[in-house]
Amino acid sequence: MKYQTVDQLNAVADVHAEAAVLIASRGQRLERWAQLLEQDPGRRLMALAGTEYATPDVREKMRSTGSPITVAFEDPIFRAQGLKDDTYGEAKRFFELSDWQLHEVVCHCHVGANLPARWAASRVRAAISPGSGILAWLRSVFMH
């Protein structure tokens, strides 16, 4: 192993010292994901088909090239913090989302085969405070 100074490493590496601070909490990770999606709000992203119908084993491995999860995985800070791939199961783990919350962000049943990034960003933000809004209230009325 070759010893290098921090300055030498900075010259050849994409170093993000702020990574640990940026996504210290679940809410911060979700907010960063929403911001990444909003960088190109008109970008067409691929939805995942039938997440609510797949068995847990199949759902964990589901992915689609160019999905909202792919946008998160493209971020070097998220990868440095432990996001391993752009599968449904990995996004659920990394962002600490329930199946219902992740379904709301990535499933095709809401928008068809593809969706604008700005729509995905709004759904990610809704997951930050799942207990707020009219839909959360309606869900609680019918689920309890």
Side-chain angles (χ1 to χ4, degrees):
M1 190 158 129
K2 179 180 173 186
Y3 175 80
Q4 293 183 317
T5 67
V6 173
D7 291 334
Q8 290 170 321
L9 288 173
N10 281 329
V12 296
D14 188 15
V15 177
H16 295 279
E18 72 278 11
V21 175
L22 283 177
I23 60 170
S25 72
R26 173 188 181 273
Q28 290 170 326
R29 287 191 304 272
L30 290 170
E31 180 60 33
R32 179 169 179 82
W33 187 14
Q35 290 170 353
L36 291 168
L37 290 161
E38 289 171 337
Q39 286 177 355
D40 187 0
R43 179 179 174 181
R44 301 303 293 185
L45 302 171
M46 298 304 296
L48 301 178
T51 63
E52 70 275 35
Y53 302 116
T55 64
D57 292 348
V58 170
R59 188 172 41 243
E60 291 290 309
K61 297 172 187 160
M62 290 177 86
R63 68 169 301 279
S64 180
T65 302
S67 74
I69 302 167
T70 302
V71 173
F73 186 63
E74 290 170 348
D75 182 44
I77 293 176
F78 280 157
R79 288 193 314 273
Q81 289 293 312
L83 184 61
K84 297 174 185 143
D85 57 38
D86 64 348
T87 61
Y88 180 99
E90 181 60 9
K92 182 180 169 185
R93 179 199 68 80
F94 184 78
F95 292 108
E96 302 175 46
L97 295 170
S98 69
D99 282 312
W100 181 260
Q101 290 170 318
L102 191 51
H103 166 85
E104 291 288 312
V105 176
V106 301
C107 191
H108 82 295
C109 67
H110 300 289
V111 292
N114 62 59
L115 60 142
R118 76 178 149 275
W119 189 91
S122 72
R123 302 312 309 147
V124 169
R125 282 219 169 81
I128 294 171
S129 300
S132 62
I134 187 75
L135 291 177
W137 176 79
L138 283 171
R139 190 175 304 123
S140 72
V141 168
F142 291 109
M143 300 290 277
H144 297 291

